[in-house]
Amino acid sequence: MNILGINAYHANASAALVCDGQLVAAAEEERFNRVKYAAGFPLAAIRYCLKAAGITLADLDHVAVPRNPWARIGTKLLYALRMPRFARERARAWASFATIPEELARALETNPNQIRARFHRVEHHRAHLASAFFVSPFDRAAVLSADGLGDFASTMWATGEGSRMRVHGSIAFPHSLGMYYTALTQYLGFWNFGDEYKVMGLAAYGEPAYLEEFRQIVRVDGTKLRLGLEYFSHHRHGAEMSWREAEKTPVLGRLFSDYLGARLGPARRPDAPIEQKHKDVAATLQVRLEEILFQRLAALHTQTGAKELCLAGGVAFNCVANGKIFSRVPFEEIFVQPAAGDAGLSLGAAFYVWHEVLGRPRGFQMSHACWGPGYSASEIRAAMDERSLFEDGFDIAELPEEQLVQDTARHIAAGDVVGWFSGRAEWGPRALGNRSILADPRRPEMKDILNRRVKHRESFRPFAPSILAESAAEFFEHAHPSPFMTFAYPLRREKRPSLPAATHVDGTCRLQTVDHDANPRYRKLIEEFARLTGVPAVVNTSFNDNEPMVCAPGEAIDCFLRTHMDLLVMGNYVIRKRRSADAERSVLTASPQISEVSR
Ligand SMILES: [Fe+2]
């Protein structure tokens, strides 16, 4: 039984394939077409999923699409009558979804008559809920989905039990925690789709000085979230996402009103300096989000009586809030799958069909994120050949795994910046040890080095550590697993000298805990680094430079050549840019004694 989930004509277009209840492959379209947050039709992701399973379009039994035009149809019609633009957007969305079977057949050069799959429409937030609960380790859990807007709702909550979910409630347009965060992100001068995480990073530099005002911007009426609509404009002209077809880049219009500027002062222009006031607005934005989220979760805890929680939707990427849930709401375990945002809708829609529509029992648990493409040694070598690496100024070695791990750990300990390309690409926006850039977390200067030489990011954004799972409690004030880098915890004060390059200004880290099973090779590398230095963690940032994370070997090599990484490890190949004898000597003589000095 093959079920393909497709998130199409929406940001974070993606595909996921579930065969007999097991996830076989999942990937975002941006990894293939190289457009960040790519919207449109996920043709390459679908092709990849089918190829990974060795099947064709004709072998699909079901296709699940995470959008249901009939959901909240009455409210949609009311808005359509009031807003002609909204009506046009709806009509366009309906038309594009109606043609998905034909689009699939055309894209895969198949006769539409060969498609025997049944098509299903799954409401946006039900797909989010399914993406969290049905792949979680829990048999019973409270489940919450929260984001900007999908099928005219912004939030939905449920109890998940076995292979069923019981939805308890939802919050409808225009009230939305996601819209609130995005509107204020725009006000702060960050207009690109997906910039909210930058503002979350900025918040740590400020004080929540505007809390009274923000309690008007977003209010709570009983258990209901209510936006102060005078601060917003999306309820007047719609908030439908559009995308430029040529570039496939998703675009959202302005969501805040002039009244917000009248109350808080003029919005920051994107090229203007970031002042303390902007940091304080970001801090207030974050604190108010947390207040609302924790209230909602406390009510859900009471309503469901569940000890476990699953989160999905864009708000579930707020690792700062996630990390505080344990101390604010009495949930004992929390699961957030790595593609918690809209990319995860394809996964959720497919599992929704398997369990809710077909009534099949649970039998899959997402214990790692490696659901994207992998490449053979010959494919890696072909990419190296294509770029003439064997002829130009590089030292190249092919090493057995043990030596490869030892050499790489030694280079990291000596201060080198290492591109690490291994196994199948990650599902979701976080590099988790397969498409990562790695560095020494003990060196305070490493954040600047990474930014100057490779990443070119805003200086206020922190880097994150990957840490051996069993060491998390020794280093952090919480030890709940964070295998997908979706929780930020305070670093214990006495450990701050160990991880200065991976610690945010407020003393927290957005950590990845690495256990024995999820990624054995990456785990060995960190173990070796710990043996050399006494610190069981490395800085782990995504393998890219202001582009989607690299996916294929050629993209990794291009990024390596374009930036100033010292070393590229791809499969069993180690590629080093040649440098002076002095610099080389310092790398090769790195030792635990040197490490102690830098601690
Ligand atoms: Fe969503």
Side-chain angles (χ1 to χ4, degrees):
M1 177 79 69
N2 300 318
I3 307 173
L4 178 69
I6 305 173
N7 181 35
Y9 307 119
H10 197 78
N12 300 303
S14 68
L17 183 64
V18 175
C19 301
D20 294 329
Q22 299 298 307
L23 182 64
V24 171
E28 295 98 320
E29 185 70 5
E30 67 159 36
R31 306 294 159 85
F32 302 98
N33 71 4
R34 313 304 299 154
V35 176
K36 196 119 173 121
Y37 308 116
F41 193 77
L43 168 61
I46 293 169
R47 278 188 181 145
Y48 154 67
C49 286
L50 296 179
K51 188 178 166 202
I55 62 173
T56 68
L57 201 51
D59 297 316
L60 292 177
D61 300 284
H62 300 272
V63 175
V65 180
R67 195 167 205 182
N68 184 356
W70 299 104
R72 296 175 185 75
I73 187 68
T75 321
K76 285 174 183 169
L77 287 173
L78 275 177
Y79 268 91
L81 287 172
R82 282 185 2 217
M83 286 192 288
R85 181 181 156 187
F86 176 81
R88 283 196 299 275
E89 285 167 352
R90 288 284 110 187
R92 184 174 59 79
W94 282 32
S96 62
F97 271 78
T99 60
I100 280 182
E102 290 75 22
E103 183 82 29
L104 253 181
R106 191 170 62 243
L108 296 170
E109 296 168 355
T110 304
N111 187 326
N113 296 332
Q114 288 188 343
I115 302 177
R116 60 182 181 83
R118 215 175 116 200
F119 281 73
H120 304 262
R121 296 179 183 281
V122 181
E123 188 182 347
H124 183 102
H125 282 281
R126 287 178 192 264
H128 270 315
L129 295 173
S131 78
F133 177 62
F134 288 138
V135 304
S136 78
F138 311 137
D139 186 53
R140 186 175 190 280
V143 197
L144 177 78
S145 166
D147 67 3
L149 180 67
D151 277 331
F152 234 55
S154 68
T155 311
M156 188 175 279
W157 54 94
T159 301
E161 196 152 10
S163 57
R164 298 286 181 198
M165 293 185 303
R166 191 156 31 99
V167 172
H168 300 300
S170 63
I171 295 170
F173 180 88
H175 303 288
S176 163
L177 206 49
M179 286 284 176
Y180 152 74
Y181 212 92
T182 304
L184 271 294
T185 295
Q186 293 177 343
Y187 170 83
L188 287 169
F190 298 92
W191 285 87
N192 289 333
F193 188 86
D195 272 353
E196 291 84 352
Y197 68 102
K198 296 181 182 176
V199 172
M200 183 181 70
L202 184 64
Y205 291 84
E207 293 296 326
Y210 301 95
L211 208 42
E212 286 315 306
E213 190 74 34
F214 272 64
R215 286 179 178 146
Q216 297 306 310
I217 294 174
V218 56
R219 306 161 191 168
V220 177
D221 176 9
T223 59
K224 290 181 180 166
L225 169 89
R226 285 283 174 267
L227 295 183
L229 290 175
E230 63 275 25
Y231 295 89
F232 296 89
S233 60
H234 63 286
H235 58 294
R236 286 200 294 269
H237 58 63
E240 193 69 12
M241 180 192 306
S242 61
W243 63 91
R244 293 186 283 269
E245 189 53 41
E247 305 109 35
K248 311 249 182 242
T249 304
V251 177
L252 262 180
R254 178 175 137 158
L255 300 178
F256 63 91
S257 71
D258 291 341
Y259 184 69
L260 183 73
R263 296 294 299 172
L264 291 180
R268 175 182 165 265
R269 286 164 35 135
D271 56 353
I274 295 174
E275 299 167 5
Q276 188 56 44
K277 181 200 150 174
H278 303 125
K279 298 171 185 172
D280 291 344
V281 168
T284 318
L285 169 69
Q286 177 68 23
V287 167
R288 186 60 179 146
L289 172 102
E290 291 170 9
E291 285 184 349
I292 301 285
L293 182 65
F294 299 152
Q295 280 179 34
R296 177 68 260 151
L297 289 175
L300 187 59
H301 180 266
T302 304
Q303 185 172 21
T304 62
K307 292 178 184 160
E308 285 89 17
L309 171 69
C310 299
L311 290 174
V315 174
F317 277 137
N318 197 303
C319 57
V320 176
N322 290 353
K324 295 176 183 171
I325 293 173
F326 296 106
S327 48
R328 308 292 173 89
V329 189
F331 286 113
E332 293 173 10
E333 287 189 72
I334 303 174
F335 178 79
V336 185
Q337 63 96 5
D342 283 346
L345 290 168
S346 57
L347 173 83
F351 273 103
Y352 186 93
V353 168
W354 178 248
H355 294 301
E356 292 275 0
V357 177
L358 302 175
R360 299 301 183 101
R362 300 274 295 283
F364 173 78
Q365 193 177 313
M366 189 178 281
S367 55
H368 64 79
C370 311
W371 303 105
Y375 298 87
S376 66
S378 61
E379 287 173 306
I380 290 172
R381 189 172 176 105
M384 292 161 67
D385 270 332
E386 244 173 62
R387 286 155 181 83
S388 305
L389 293 196
F390 292 99
E391 296 157 29
D392 292 338
F394 299 93
D395 292 323
I396 299 174
E398 189 176 5
L399 302 176
E401 182 165 294
E402 197 171 327
Q403 194 184 341
L404 177 120
V405 161
Q406 287 170 0
D407 277 17
T408 307
R410 202 167 66 241
H411 278 277
I412 295 171
D416 278 355
V417 176
V418 175
W420 177 260
F421 182 103
S422 176
R424 292 177 70 175
E426 292 90 343
W427 163 242
R430 301 279 166 259
L432 297 168
N434 282 10
R435 301 291 185 273
S436 292
I437 294 171
L438 307 176
D440 188 342
R442 303 164 302 157
R443 298 169 184 265
E445 72 279 13
M446 189 50 77
K447 184 179 160 185
D448 289 339
I449 290 172
L450 280 168
N451 266 332
R452 201 169 55 243
R453 291 171 52 185
V454 185
K455 298 290 286 188
H456 308 112
R457 309 194 317 190
E458 293 86 352
S459 60
F460 59 82
R461 289 169 54 194
F463 287 102
S466 297
I467 185 166
L468 298 180
E470 66 273 23
S471 300
E474 180 193 341
F475 278 71
F476 295 96
E477 290 178 19
H478 295 288
H480 301 279
S482 177
F484 305 132
M485 219 181 242
T486 43
F487 296 86
Y489 300 142
L491 183 63
R492 292 188 187 280
R493 188 165 291 276
E494 68 274 17
K495 294 294 183 186
R496 288 192 183 180
S498 299
L499 304 178
T503 308
H504 203 15
V505 66
D506 60 358
T508 64
C509 300
R510 187 193 68 205
L511 71 160
Q512 176 196 5
T513 51
V514 182
D515 65 23
H516 286 277
D517 304 323
N519 195 332
R521 178 185 271 205
Y522 188 45
R523 164 109 193 161
K524 275 186 207 166
L525 176 67
I526 304 172
E527 284 173 343
E528 182 61 21
F529 184 81
R531 196 184 65 76
L532 286 175
T533 67
V535 173
V538 295
V539 172
N540 173 12
T541 185
S542 52
F543 198 148
N544 59 356
D545 172 21
N546 286 307
E547 60 183 328
M549 214 184 317
V550 301
C551 183
E555 289 147 13
I557 297 170
D558 291 343
C559 185
F560 174 65
L561 297 178
R562 206 170 54 236
T563 60
H564 293 91
M565 282 179 246
D566 300 288
L567 199 72
L568 172 60
V569 180
M570 286 206 306
N572 281 34
Y573 288 100
V574 178
I575 305 160
R576 188 145 35 107
K577 291 171 181 164
R578 288 200 184 115
R579 47 181 160 183
S580 73
D582 282 351
E584 195 57 39
R585 203 170 301 117
S586 77
V587 168
L588 294 174
T589 55
S591 68
Q593 284 72 33
I594 290 174
S595 307
E596 289 301 318
V597 171
S598 67
R599 288 168 77 187

